[in-house]
Amino acid sequence: MLETLAFYFFAALTLGMAFVVVTTTNILYAMTSLAAAMVFVSAFFFLLDAEFLGVVQILVYVGAVVVMYAFGMMFLNASQEVQERAHAPKVPALLAIALAVVLVALLGAPFIAHYAHNLQESLNPDLDTSNTKLIGFVLFTKYLVAFEVGAFMLLVALVGAMASAFKKEN
Amino acid sequence: MSAEIVETLIKILVVVLVFSGLGAFGTYLERKVLAYFQRRLGPTYVGPFGLLQVIADAIKLFTKEDVIPQNANHLIFSIAPVIAMVSAFVSMAPIPFFGDFQIFGHTIKPIISDINVGLLFFLAVGSASIYAPLLAGLASNSKYSLIGAARATIQLLSFEVVSTLTILAPIMVVGSLSLVEINQYQEGGMLHWLVFKQPLAFFLFLISSYAELNRTPFDLLEHEAEIVAGFCTEYSGLRWGMFFLAEYAHLFAFCFVISLIFFGGYNAWGFIPGGIAILIKVCFFVFLSMWARATFPHVRPDQLMRMCWKIMLPLALVNILITGLVLLLF
């Protein structure tokens, strides 16, 4: 009962904040509500008893959004309204969103259901192990390759950014 | 189920009230300690030893006119101090303040929520408090505040990586992120304290916690000598007070966490029972932070970044490496 209430409460908050992000023309409102939306998403992880993921969500996105604020501070005047040049027509935008939702639902549903079922069967987690341990276990056994590929991708992006920065100096 | 909810609500109320009071008292304590260090008197006029100065300050803050600058972003300007308070108090949720005790035959755990990633939760929510100066600086439409906000970003980028990496070594030793389990690990006398196993981690964590709390050696956000009162230039009255209440409440919370991780927490200390032992440790660390404030000069932002990235980060990494090797070999 309480969890259901909490879920709808945080769902409404998150969606509201996300809505503000895409509609406002004030850079300060946009970034603040983005940060708020990110923090509220962590509430879902806590509701699902995935505490580690929830905390990591806060930790990572706090840092990330602060860096975005830094860029906002450098590029834009916070007290001015930001005027975008092209105003997207509303009807095509709505249609595109609806189409995207339908496509995701159509294509994703069987995979997600299958995947979730498999995961549950293959893991068979003990109730005693804490969820930090389980994440470590899953990450370094079943999904080791995906983990390594992700890390490698980040490394490539890092080196690429450095290389392009050095090129400019010469 | 409902009894548990009521109990949790009461605990939350107690924690918020106690730490608000402590935060207010912290300002008096700081002024008095600094005065003794620097051969001044500090507050003396109101009450015995100036003890009622806290109440006088509170009345002044509550009744002062609440000014919002004309071109400031009103909404964000008023949200910023609330963020400071919320993040300081929410971060206290996984801290066990004492051991379990009994009232009327009913066992009470003085912890709001025993989640198994307590330490990480504390650090994550605590670092979210950096939004407060950032938003305050950006929303006030003042160049001093803007510089304060830019410095807040620098500060976060400097200390956050160091403090998270530093805390990794003790976690590797204990094998749990829960503050209760870290405390249980150090049971059985002074020699079991983690500070003897991880002295380097303790010093690095202490330094980066001062950076996170804007304590004076790293007081970049409101450096009186360089920028005029930094991010809270435009704030007055209760909103200004909220920033500082949050800062002191967070300081007390950090002192609790440091004594829990490195100094045996609420385990009995010789003949001293656990609850009193942790209070002694917390008092010492609060005093230590004031001592540091009275002794050390300010650092510049570039000095802070240099120290965090070039000295403390490599040291933390070396510490993790050595800890890992020792754990594997022995």
Side-chain angles (χ1 to χ4, degrees):
Chain A
M1 177 61 195
L2 203 66
E3 283 187 356
T4 324
L5 272 180
F7 172 78
Y8 282 112
F9 177 69
F10 282 112
L13 273 178
T14 312
L15 287 178
M17 288 296 154
F19 186 71
V20 172
V21 176
V22 291
T23 51
T24 183
T25 55
N26 189 320
I27 186 71
L28 214 47
Y29 286 145
M31 284 193 296
T32 310
S33 39
L34 181 66
M38 292 306 177
V39 171
F40 289 142
V41 166
S42 74
F44 296 116
F45 289 118
F46 281 107
L47 283 177
L48 292 169
D49 285 332
E51 289 136 357
F52 184 76
L53 278 182
V55 171
V56 167
Q57 166 89 13
I58 298 178
L59 201 63
V60 169
Y61 278 98
V62 164
V65 179
V66 164
V67 172
M68 267 182 62
Y69 270 109
F71 281 110
M73 220 187 303
M74 286 189 266
F75 296 140
L76 302 160
N77 186 351
S79 57
Q80 258 175 8
E81 306 255 301
V82 178
Q83 295 292 337
E84 286 181 53
R85 260 182 301 152
H87 279 281
K90 272 168 196 152
V91 178
L94 277 177
L95 281 177
I97 292 170
L99 198 66
V101 171
V102 170
L103 272 179
V104 169
L106 273 181
L107 296 176
F111 287 108
I112 292 169
H114 185 67
Y115 170 79
H117 186 71
N118 272 356
L119 187 70
Q120 208 172 15
E121 274 191 351
S122 68
L123 274 182
N124 197 12
D126 302 328
L127 287 176
D128 304 338
T129 32
S130 69
N131 102 27
T132 330
K133 262 184 196 162
L134 264 180
I135 284 177
F137 178 71
V138 175
L139 209 56
F140 288 100
T141 52
K142 200 172 174 200
Y143 298 106
L144 185 64
V145 177
F147 182 70
E148 293 286 338
V149 168
F152 190 71
M153 224 170 69
L154 286 177
L155 185 70
V156 168
L158 199 73
V159 173
M162 278 177 176
S164 56
F166 276 123
K167 235 180 202 172
K168 252 179 202 169
E169 256 176 37
N170 289 339
Chain B
M1 182 64 192
S2 64
E4 194 188 331
I5 291 171
V6 170
E7 193 186 321
T8 312
L9 283 178
I10 292 172
K11 277 183 206 165
I12 291 171
L13 197 67
V14 168
V15 165
V16 169
L17 285 179
V18 167
F19 276 88
S20 302
L22 275 180
F25 189 64
T27 59
Y28 167 78
L29 217 60
E30 176 119 53
R31 286 169 72 184
K32 211 68 184 169
V33 172
L34 283 186
Y36 280 118
F37 267 105
Q38 298 163 351
R39 308 194 113 198
R40 295 185 280 120
L41 282 176
T44 48
Y45 290 110
V46 196
F49 310 107
L51 267 173
L52 298 180
Q53 183 69 42
V54 177
I55 297 167
D57 282 346
I59 293 170
K60 182 183 138 197
L61 282 180
F62 270 98
T63 51
K64 208 172 179 178
E65 188 192 352
D66 185 25
V67 182
I68 295 182
Q70 200 172 22
N71 284 327
N73 191 327
H74 287 229
L75 184 64
I76 308 282
F77 189 83
S78 30
I79 285 178
V82 181
I83 293 177
M85 291 285 269
V86 167
S87 67
F89 283 111
V90 170
S91 70
M92 289 171 199
I95 303 178
F97 293 106
F98 309 108
D100 300 356
F101 59 90
Q102 289 198 332
I103 295 180
F104 309 124
H106 184 70
T107 312
I108 291 179
K109 290 182 179 172
I111 176 172
I112 293 171
S113 168
D114 184 10
I115 52 177
N116 59 31
V117 286
L119 184 52
L120 207 57
F121 183 88
F122 175 78
L123 287 176
V125 178
S127 72
S129 71
I130 208 76
Y131 278 130
L134 194 64
L135 290 175
L138 279 173
S140 340
N141 195 32
S142 147
K143 60 186 172 198
Y144 301 115
S145 308
L146 195 64
I147 296 171
R151 283 167 170 236
T153 317
I154 289 177
Q155 196 154 331
L156 179 92
L157 295 181
S158 318
F159 75 75
E160 177 156 309
V161 177
V162 178
S163 71
T164 317
L165 273 183
T166 308
I167 215 65
L168 209 60
I171 289 171
M172 280 159 70
V173 174
V174 179
S176 168
L177 283 166
S178 159
L179 283 166
V180 178
E181 272 177 49
I182 291 175
N183 177 69
Q184 300 314 4
Y185 178 82
Q186 307 172 65
E187 251 175 7
M190 207 166 148
L191 291 174
H192 291 254
W193 289 0
L194 262 178
V195 69
F196 299 116
K197 288 184 184 163
Q198 295 286 341
L200 188 61
F202 164 64
F203 282 113
L204 294 179
F205 189 67
L206 192 71
I207 293 170
S208 63
S209 79
Y210 285 168
E212 175 160 6
L213 293 165
N214 319 327
R215 299 293 307 170
T216 283
F218 314 107
D219 193 4
L220 305 177
L221 307 189
E222 33 134 5
H223 206 318
E224 303 102 54
E226 288 174 15
I227 43 176
V228 182
F231 66 94
C232 47
T233 311
E234 307 294 336
Y235 281 84
S236 67
L238 198 58
R239 290 189 211 281
W240 183 89
M242 278 162 82
F243 277 117
F244 283 84
L245 209 60
E247 207 174 300
Y248 281 104
H250 206 180
L251 169 70
F252 278 98
F254 244 109
C255 292
F256 264 103
V257 167
I258 288 175
S259 10
L260 274 169
I261 304 173
F262 292 105
F263 285 86
Y266 52 79
N267 294 312
W269 182 15
F271 61 90
I272 307 170
I276 295 173
I278 191 169
L279 284 185
I280 294 172
K281 291 164 197 166
V282 169
C283 288
F284 173 72
F285 280 110
V286 172
F287 177 69
L288 188 69
S289 74
M290 287 166 188
W291 190 354
R293 176 169 182 175
T295 320
F296 289 107
H298 293 287
V299 299
R300 291 196 311 267
D302 61 312
Q303 286 171 330
L304 175 71
M305 290 199 93
R306 182 177 167 274
M307 193 189 75
C308 281
W309 287 101
K310 286 192 175 168
I311 302 171
M312 285 166 68
L313 187 69
L315 279 177
L317 286 175
V318 168
N319 194 25
I320 291 172
L321 188 71
I322 294 172
T323 312
L325 280 180
V326 170
L327 283 179
L328 276 180
L329 294 178
F330 297 103

